[in-house]
């Protein structure tokens, strides 16, 4: 489920707010709650507000249950207690797909029975339930039957800058490179990639699927066309797995941390699939819903979009892709581009969402993915009756006895097993005969005569002392 937008700027732009994450392991989804209306003044308030924004009246106690958005997946979960579909990890690609526990069917696309992707999905993408989403693999297969088109003629007015010229020197307080000048990053892009026209095979085809992607093609001004040594198509999941985490799809080295301005190639320690899109001219659109449609139209060209969150108040949108490689390509392709109102978009990596519900969704998503990854590698994740002990099926634990500290007898939860019987059996097996208390006391009280009959011996095998009678 996506946020329901208002039809005009006079109303609250968001009609439903995420309030929690529910579902079984591998089948979580987001629960939404509608805005509540103040009974005193009639003002509309967001679901998480505890008091009216206008008259400060308290939120009605029954508002949470009455305003809950009952989606089909939530209704199914409340009725049956579980869902048929479940996330499963592919150990080869380290990506999630979906498996039906009843029919045995599996698919890459997120089933509509699971509902929309959670508002935050952690390290691993979950996909979209949008039936109109087009497979990038099928598009690439069609485009790779033709030669790549020359996007611009060599020597045109489009500026070719060496990579690294946009690095910022914190010591001198300015950018590096002779091609940089004040305000350059605020200029509209002079070219734009159109995969439907420009994509095709290049010299990288001879390398099979081991090549890197052309950053000039992504920005729309590669003048080599089919003679380029880099790929002129859209990235897929296999490309991300093949290239790895230490480089982006264009071959640039990723760093341990993000840059302070969240630009650049990104971080391998904190991989990000969400783009921060600023500079939207919100007054050129009738409603936040139109902004979301426009953002989706322009950004879903580059890959499968999981979630779009429009913050109309600050003219910003957050676009999350299922695959990190698609986000890397889109970041370069949409830099300084426009939507429908001749904007100059500022596209960077997004910071972590501070929303508590989003943080819980990330924690839950990463935990589910970790469990699925271990199960894919053959680790049994079913909890035993005693989680601290792994024993054979026919083993019976001995009776427990009380534990005491001095004269104080501890509660029942501090019980530990009574192992006296096991110790006596082990002692019998070691010595051949049990050691009686009378023998032990006689040995201690008989002085030299006792010492002549009994001898204390150390057993190196069991690392214990035992007594041997010479008589």
């Amino acid at each position: 489920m996506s946020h329901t937008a208002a039809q005009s700027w006079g109303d609250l732009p968001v009609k439903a707010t995420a309030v929690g994450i529910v579902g079984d392991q591998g089948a979580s989804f987001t629960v939404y709650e509608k805005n509540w209306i103040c009974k005193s003044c009639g003002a509309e308030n967001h679901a998480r507000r505890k008091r009216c924004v206008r008259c400060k009246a308290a939120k009605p106690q029954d508002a949470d249950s009455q305003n809950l958005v009952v989606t089909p997946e939530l209704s199914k979960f409340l009725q049956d207690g579980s869902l048929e579909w479940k996330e499963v990890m592919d150990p080869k690609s380290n990506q999630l797909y979906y498996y039906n526990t009843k029919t045995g069917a599996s698919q890459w696309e997120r089933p509509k029975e699971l509902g929309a992707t959670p508002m935050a999905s952690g390290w691993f993408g979950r996909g979209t339930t949008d039936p109109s989403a087009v497979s990038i693999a099928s598009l690439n297969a069609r485009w790779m039957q033709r030669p790549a088109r020359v996007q611009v003629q060599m020597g045109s007015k489009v500026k070719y800058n060496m990579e690294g010229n946009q690095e910022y020197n914190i010591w001198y307080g300015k950018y590096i490179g002779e091609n940089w000048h004040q305000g350059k990053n605020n200029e509209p892009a002079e070219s734009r990639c159109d995969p439907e026209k420009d994509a095709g095979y290049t010299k990288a085809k001879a390398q099979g699927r081991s090549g890197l992607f052309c950053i000039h093609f992504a920005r729309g001004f590669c003048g080599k066309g089919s003679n380029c040594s880099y790929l002129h198509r859209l990235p897929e999941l296999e490309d991300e797995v093949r290239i790895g985490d230490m480089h982006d799809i264009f071959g640039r080295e990723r760093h341990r941390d993000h840059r302070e301005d969240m630009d650049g190639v990104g971080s391998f320690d904190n991989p990000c699939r969400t783009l921060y899109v600023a500079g939207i001219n919100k007054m050129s659109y009738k409603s936040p819903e139109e902004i979301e449609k426009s953002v989706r139209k322009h950004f879903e060209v580059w890959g499968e979009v999981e979630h779009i969150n429009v913050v109309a108040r600050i003219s910003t949108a957050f676009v999350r892709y299922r695959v990190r490689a698609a986000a890397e390509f889109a970041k370069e392709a949409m830099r300084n581009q426009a939507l429908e109102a001749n904007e100059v978009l500022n596209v960077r990596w997004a910071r972590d969402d501070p929303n508590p519900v989003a943080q819980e969704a990330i924690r839950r998503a990463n935990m589910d993915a970790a469990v699925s990854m271990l199960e894919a590698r053959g680790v049994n994740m079913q909890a035993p009756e005693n989680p601290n002990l792994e024993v054979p099926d026919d083993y019976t634990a001995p009776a427990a006895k009380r534990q005491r500290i001095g004269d104080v007898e501890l509660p029942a939860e501090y019980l530990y097993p009574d192992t006296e019987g096991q110790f006596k059996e082990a002692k019998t097996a070691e010595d051949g005969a049990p050691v009686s208390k009378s023998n032990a006391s006689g040995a201690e009280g008989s002085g030299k005569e006792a010492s002549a009959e009994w001898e204390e011996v150390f057993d190196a095998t069991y690392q214990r002392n035992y007594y041997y009678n010479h008589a």
Side-chain angles (χ1 to χ4, degrees):
M1 173 183 173
S2 61
H3 289 184
T4 304
Q7 297 302 316
S8 67
W9 290 106
D11 300 327
L12 290 178
V14 176
K15 293 297 184 182
T17 305
V19 294
I21 306 296
V22 298
D24 297 330
Q25 183 270 320
S28 61
F29 55 92
T30 307
V31 177
Y32 290 87
E33 185 180 327
K34 295 183 292 185
N35 296 341
W36 59 277
I37 306 299
C38 179
K39 297 180 179 180
S40 300
C41 65
E44 183 180 8
N45 298 273
H46 288 305
R48 288 198 297 267
R49 279 194 176 275
K50 300 302 181 184
R51 290 189 173 274
C52 177
V53 67
R54 181 186 298 171
C55 68
K56 306 305 179 184
K59 180 181 179 181
Q61 296 182 357
D62 59 348
D64 292 343
S65 58
Q66 291 185 355
N67 295 336
L68 192 66
V69 180
V70 183
T71 57
E73 62 273 14
L74 178 58
S75 177
K76 174 75 172 175
F77 179 76
L78 294 176
Q79 181 179 356
D80 299 341
S82 62
L83 300 175
E84 296 181 3
W85 289 91
K86 180 182 179 181
E87 300 168 353
V88 180
M89 180 69 68
D90 180 8
K92 294 183 179 179
S93 64
N94 279 339
Q95 293 294 329
L96 296 170
Y97 66 95
Y98 295 92
Y99 172 76
N100 192 305
T101 57
K102 290 188 176 181
T103 64
S106 61
Q107 62 185 50
W108 169 252
E109 298 78 14
R110 182 177 178 88
K112 62 180 182 180
E113 290 82 0
L114 279 181
T117 306
M119 62 179 302
S121 55
W123 283 56
F124 299 94
R126 262 65 179 181
T128 177
T129 56
D130 185 5
S132 62
V134 181
S135 171
I136 298 299
S138 61
L139 293 176
N140 282 334
R142 176 165 57 87
W143 293 336
M144 295 301 287
Q145 302 300 318
R146 67 191 185 192
R149 189 177 74 93
V150 176
Q151 293 172 306
V152 296
Q153 296 299 322
M154 298 294 290
S156 66
K157 65 176 182 178
V158 177
K159 301 179 181 63
Y160 283 80
N161 295 340
M162 184 179 299
E163 283 300 308
N165 282 357
Q166 304 301 319
E167 297 295 329
Y168 186 77
N169 189 306
I170 60 175
W171 180 261
Y172 293 102
K174 64 179 182 180
Y175 285 88
I176 300 174
E178 60 184 7
N179 295 321
W180 184 89
H181 61 83
Q182 187 68 30
K184 178 179 178 181
N185 286 341
N186 296 327
E187 296 177 355
E190 299 178 3
S191 58
R192 184 165 183 165
C193 176
D194 184 355
E196 192 62 42
K197 296 180 180 179
D198 301 337
Y201 66 80
T202 61
K203 287 184 177 180
K205 184 178 181 180
Q207 306 173 21
R209 305 188 67 84
S210 61
L212 299 171
F213 286 81
C214 178
I215 194 170
H216 300 303
F217 164 73
R219 295 172 178 172
F221 54 78
C222 182
K224 295 184 178 181
S226 60
N227 291 322
C228 184
S229 299
Y230 296 89
L231 297 170
H232 282 212
R233 59 174 177 83
L234 297 180
E236 304 173 20
L237 170 62
E238 291 77 6
D239 300 312
E240 180 178 313
V241 176
R242 169 176 56 83
I243 296 174
D245 295 332
M246 303 306 297
H247 296 81
D248 69 358
I249 60 172
F250 306 109
R252 302 175 297 184
E253 289 187 356
R254 303 171 72 207
H255 307 291
R256 183 179 183 274
D257 299 313
H258 284 285
R259 283 174 33 171
E260 290 187 1
D261 60 359
M262 299 303 289
D263 203 357
V265 297
S267 165
F268 62 79
D269 196 37
N270 184 21
C272 183
R273 294 177 288 110
T274 305
L275 298 180
Y276 162 86
V277 183
I280 300 174
N281 187 3
K282 71 175 185 179
M283 300 313 297
S284 299
Y285 301 88
K286 295 181 180 180
S287 68
E289 187 178 26
E290 284 199 2
I291 295 180
E292 181 174 345
K293 289 181 179 179
S294 179
V295 171
R296 184 174 296 277
K297 171 186 173 183
H298 289 272
F299 279 83
E300 69 181 2
V301 174
W302 318 111
E304 184 178 355
V305 175
E306 273 190 359
H307 185 266
I308 294 178
N309 182 25
V310 175
V311 186
R313 176 175 54 85
I314 56 175
S315 302
T316 301
F318 295 88
V319 182
R320 187 174 79 234
Y321 287 89
R322 182 174 190 176
V323 180
R324 190 197 76 235
E328 292 175 346
F329 195 96
K331 180 177 178 293
E332 298 298 334
M334 293 303 295
R335 179 190 295 270
N336 292 3
Q337 299 291 347
L339 299 180
E340 311 293 342
N342 297 323
E343 305 97 332
V344 180
L345 297 180
N346 178 16
V347 183
R348 300 170 185 256
W349 297 112
R351 300 183 187 273
D352 293 336
D353 193 341
N355 188 331
V357 179
Q359 291 295 320
E360 173 60 22
I362 292 174
R363 187 200 66 80
R364 171 66 187 274
N366 289 338
M367 181 186 68
D368 289 355
V371 172
S372 181
M373 183 181 297
L374 292 174
E375 290 178 342
R377 284 162 170 75
V379 179
N380 183 14
M381 299 302 296
Q382 299 296 327
E385 295 182 2
N386 185 349
N388 300 318
L389 185 65
E390 293 186 2
V391 297
D393 295 336
D394 56 351
Y395 174 80
T396 302
K401 64 180 181 180
R402 295 281 182 180
Q403 181 178 354
R404 304 176 67 91
I405 298 180
D407 296 333
V408 180
E409 186 173 292
L410 299 181
E413 55 264 26
Y414 291 96
L415 293 179
Y416 62 90
D418 184 355
T419 58
E420 291 293 340
Q422 293 177 337
F423 176 77
K424 291 180 179 179
E425 292 178 1
K427 194 69 175 177
T428 302
E430 293 175 11
D431 300 343
V435 179
S436 65
K437 293 184 179 180
S438 60
N439 289 343
S441 60
E444 292 176 352
S446 58
K448 293 183 179 179
E449 294 134 358
S451 62
E453 297 181 1
W454 290 91
E455 179 184 0
E456 185 176 358
V457 182
F458 177 74
D459 190 331
T461 303
Y462 294 96
Q463 298 293 311
R464 293 179 180 177
N465 290 334
Y466 66 94
Y467 296 91
Y468 175 72
N469 194 314
H470 295 280

